[in-house]
Amino acid sequence: MTTTPSATSGIADDSAELLPIATGARTRAALRTLIRPDRGRAILGLGVLVGATAVGLLVQPLLGRIVDIVADGRPADALTLPVVLLLVVAVVQGVTTTLGLTQVARLGETVLARLREQFIERALQLPADRLERAGAGDLTARVTGDVARVAEAVRSALPEMARSVLAIVLTLGAMALLDVRFFLAALLAVPVQALTARWYVTRAVTVYADQRVANGAQQQQLLETIGGTVTVRGHRLEEQHTEKSAARSRRAVELTMRSVHLVLGFYARLHIAEYIGLAAVLVTGFFLVRDGSVSIGTATAAALYFHSLFGPVNAALVLLDDAQSAAAGLARLVGVTDIEESAVRLPHQRTGSTSEAAVTVDAVSHAYGPGRTVLHEVSLTLRAGEHVALVGTSGAGKSTLARLVAGVQQPTGGTVSVAEGKTAPSVVLVTQEVHVFTGTLADDLRLARPDATDADLRTALATVHALEWAEALPEGLATVVGEGGHRLDPARAQQLALARLVLADPPVAVLDEATAEAGSAGARTLERSAEAALAGRTALVVAHRLTQAVAADRIVVLEAGRVVESGTHDELRTADGPYAALWHAWSGSRAAPHL
């Protein structure tokens, strides 16, 4: 069973070890790596957009030509050619722009999908204790808010940014071709725009990064409070948790308002730059026309060119807002995908030995942080086909040892070795926290073995005594279960998990209180299901009920993270040690109602 933060921990993640955030250089390098497989599409999209933008730049000279024709008093039929050319330009630009933006959008979606896959793959491999130290809110904020922000940027900001930058560069080049003095006049706006961008970026990076962290902390507090509602009410901590949630919310709102004021200041500075640039171009045009250096149409084209820059320049600078927010989210996603392999859950050491040992735990220790050691040099051997029950009081380290054997976590000391089997995976863990995936019952079962036939599914269900109720469902194996589907009670959900175990057919199975959720009524049924699922396998069972220990080949007693006893039920019961005390307390509590 996964350990979760206490409901009374309050602002526990103030000292939490948050998941890493990639540096700017590392984020850019990761982005290049993600794009590399689709370089051809990137070049094609960019090339088509360049062509579309270049064609669009013919609009201003054609309008200038029309102005000159009118100013010179020429016949109306002289307007036919420039008007027709304007229509052709509009059609060609529209088609090529659509094609280019489509390629850029496809590139962005492909890269985003690749990033998501890497993020999920690495997140699923992280040790449970690493996630617990970070807090559920941190990972939740990244997989929801950060992914959504990056996705939004990819779908809207990225194509628009590409088109805007191309339009700016090519338009300034066209102004230089008309007359270099128009180009120089337009550049008067650049210092204001550059200073505006620098002013914004230097502040936005920090604000948005802090905002994402604050949102994660807020979600963490809400998760802790809601998840521990019973404990919070039981200890009369409603006011304390409300204030902590309010403090987190105030911090998130404060950072949001800072970002709003930042954007307002950004826009105000952009308007000043526009005024300076347009005024400079118009004044330059006036003097050049007066001196006869250019025609009225040419001056008109230059003014229209600069005016057409309002859109792409403002869009590019405004998109810095989305870009900075997306960059902050991307850095948080890359930070997870870039976690060093040493920090990721590693597979078991595999041995090809022909010895009878199926699992060897050698001097294993594990700590969830400084001063939080839960296992102390535990050594344990499971022989092939042997069923070993782990018992002990709460906090003895049973679930931690089970997860280490299952490979869900990595020990901080010692090794766990599993004899190499014919199937993969070699070890399967079933806990009391069973998730029923949304989809048909058959699909849920096939998660364990995708190539299983319907006959295989029925055999697995029959093995764990679940076929009768499964076939009684409205549509049998085709019944939709999980979120929004047919609800399975805890006992049936657990049988479903045991059926998946049968289908996976691992040589070693680990059950961590896998029958604890059944309640007294379904306990015996689930225990029978578990016994059937474990038949023929090596098994390590964290015994929630000591009846499971009685049926085991051997019982190992943990106390404060150490093995204090090992033997059969009869041997330990007569030894008058810790197990005998547990058995006496447990059997006494069962007899009490009948006295």
Side-chain angles (χ1 to χ4, degrees), residues 96-459:
T96 52
T97 299
T98 300
L99 291 175
L101 291 178
T102 299
Q103 291 299 318
V104 173
R106 285 180 178 174
L107 171 67
E109 290 293 344
T110 302
V111 170
L112 179 61
R114 194 173 292 129
L115 175 64
R116 278 173 169 161
E117 291 170 1
Q118 291 181 5
F119 178 86
I120 294 298
E121 179 182 5
R122 186 53 56 90
L124 289 175
Q125 291 176 339
L126 287 175
D129 56 321
R130 180 67 183 87
L131 293 177
E132 288 166 4
R133 291 199 302 272
D138 186 31
L139 186 63
T140 301
R142 296 186 193 220
V143 81
T144 54
D146 292 327
V147 169
R149 187 58 58 88
V150 174
E152 181 182 355
V154 164
R155 290 169 186 151
S156 57
L158 176 63
E160 187 62 31
M161 176 70 83
R163 186 171 64 170
S164 297
V165 170
L166 287 173
I168 294 168
V169 173
L170 294 179
T171 300
L172 289 175
M175 291 184 72
L177 289 176
L178 291 178
D179 192 294
V180 71
R181 286 167 286 189
F182 287 125
F183 172 75
L184 295 176
L187 291 183
L188 291 178
V190 172
V192 179
Q193 292 168 334
L195 290 173
T196 297
R198 185 174 181 275
W199 173 85
Y200 177 75
V201 169
T202 55
R203 289 162 176 77
V205 171
T206 302
V207 170
Y208 284 116
D210 291 345
Q211 189 176 13
R212 302 310 303 161
V213 172
N215 288 340
Q218 181 188 30
Q219 289 191 38
Q220 175 67 23
Q221 183 61 49
L222 291 174
L223 287 171
E224 288 184 354
T225 300
I226 295 172
T229 299
V230 175
T231 304
V232 170
R233 289 177 176 174
H235 290 273
R236 298 293 188 269
L237 297 172
E238 295 93 339
E239 184 176 346
Q240 177 185 348
H241 272 254
T242 299
E243 177 54 35
K244 289 173 180 176
S245 297
R248 297 287 174 80
S249 298
R250 284 194 296 270
R251 175 60 176 165
V253 170
E254 175 189 344
L255 289 169
T256 299
M257 292 308 300
R258 281 178 57 187
S259 68
V260 169
H261 289 303
L262 192 64
V263 171
L264 291 176
F266 178 66
Y267 281 123
R269 288 166 172 80
L270 287 184
H271 293 325
I272 294 173
E274 290 174 1
Y275 173 79
I276 292 173
L278 184 57
V281 170
L282 289 173
V283 170
T284 300
F286 170 78
F287 285 109
L288 290 178
V289 170
R290 190 185 66 176
D291 296 340
S293 300
V294 299
S295 67
I296 296 176
T298 301
T300 301
L304 291 174
Y305 269 138
F306 188 82
H307 189 273
S308 70
L309 282 176
F310 285 10
V313 168
N314 288 349
L317 294 177
V318 168
L319 285 173
L320 286 174
D321 180 60
D322 292 334
Q324 292 304 315
S325 182
L330 182 61
R332 285 161 58 82
L333 296 177
V334 173
V336 174
T337 65
D338 218 30
I339 292 176
E340 295 181 2
E341 291 294 330
S342 59
V344 177
R345 175 172 58 87
L346 299 177
H348 294 101
Q349 294 187 10
R350 294 186 178 274
T351 63
S353 172
T354 57
S355 68
E356 293 185 353
V359 178
T360 302
V361 178
D362 185 17
V364 161
S365 297
H366 189 75
Y368 289 100
R372 297 179 60 198
T373 301
V374 293
L375 292 177
H376 304 270
E377 297 188 350
V378 172
S379 294
L380 177 65
T381 299
L382 276 69
R383 296 185 297 275
E386 183 182 26
H387 290 187
V388 174
L390 278 180
V391 301
T393 57
S394 178
K398 304 185 298 298
S399 292
T400 299
L401 181 56
R403 286 187 289 185
L404 294 177
V405 171
V408 174
Q409 289 181 203
Q410 182 184 352
T412 53
T415 60
V416 177
S417 302
V418 178
E420 195 166 345
K422 297 179 180 179
T423 62
S426 297
V427 184
V428 168
L429 170 69
V430 180
T431 73
Q432 72 180 66
E433 297 174 345
V434 176
H435 183 74
V436 178
F437 295 88
T438 300
T440 67
L441 181 63
D443 289 341
D444 201 306
L445 289 166
R446 286 194 177 96
L447 291 171
R449 203 174 95 204
D451 61 347
T453 65
D454 285 352
D456 294 330
L457 303 185
R458 289 188 173 87
T459 299

